[in-house]
Amino acid sequence: MRADFAPYRDEIRDCTCLLCGEVACALSDVRDFGGRRHLAACVALLGALMAGEHVRRSYAEMAAEAREAKAVRLAEAEAAGASPATLAAIERGYAKYAGFMVDGIGAGMTPGGVR
């Protein structure tokens, strides 16, 4: 059976759901030489689309969720008595992982770090 994404283009264009995100990540995976990860992600996405199970998530929705999660992290850190440096790091979008601050792209902060 041959199927394609043409009927679903409007639904998946600029979608940030987990399935669409995996397709994008798999496509840029430099270790996926044979394209197996990308093909598997596309099969999963197409299956969800055909079954009517795909739930679109726009960039605006993703940004709102991220702002809400950051507000919760800030409130929790303030309640726990976090230092101004830690609060500033959370405000900039850094998160604490295994005892050090990371930003999701690389580790580290400005000289002096966060205490």
Side-chain angles (χ1 to χ4, degrees):
M1 176 180 125
R2 178 167 159 65
D4 70 53
F5 288 96
Y8 309 104
R9 288 285 174 216
D10 290 339
E11 186 174 345
I12 61 176
R13 180 172 287 119
D14 295 329
C15 179
T16 65
C17 76
L18 293 177
L19 291 170
C20 291
E22 175 58 18
V23 169
C25 287
L27 182 61
S28 65
D29 185 351
V30 297
R31 298 166 298 162
D32 188 24
F33 298 112
R36 287 188 185 102
R37 178 181 174 196
H38 184 245
L39 180 61
C42 288
V43 167
L45 175 58
L46 188 58
L49 288 163
M50 293 172 77
E53 297 170 354
H54 178 259
V55 178
R56 180 172 169 66
R57 186 173 88 160
S58 70
Y59 281 102
E61 292 167 323
M62 180 185 69
E65 290 170 12
R67 281 191 296 275
E68 186 177 317
K70 183 169 78 170
V72 168
R73 282 194 313 273
L74 274 169
E76 289 172 350
E78 271 187 277
S83 71
T86 297
L87 294 175
I90 293 170
E91 182 62 41
R92 287 191 303 262
Y94 288 82
K96 196 165 192 140
Y97 175 76
F100 61 91
M101 300 304 270
V102 297
D103 67 356
I105 295 173
M109 297 217 11
T110 58
V114 175
R115 292 177 182 75

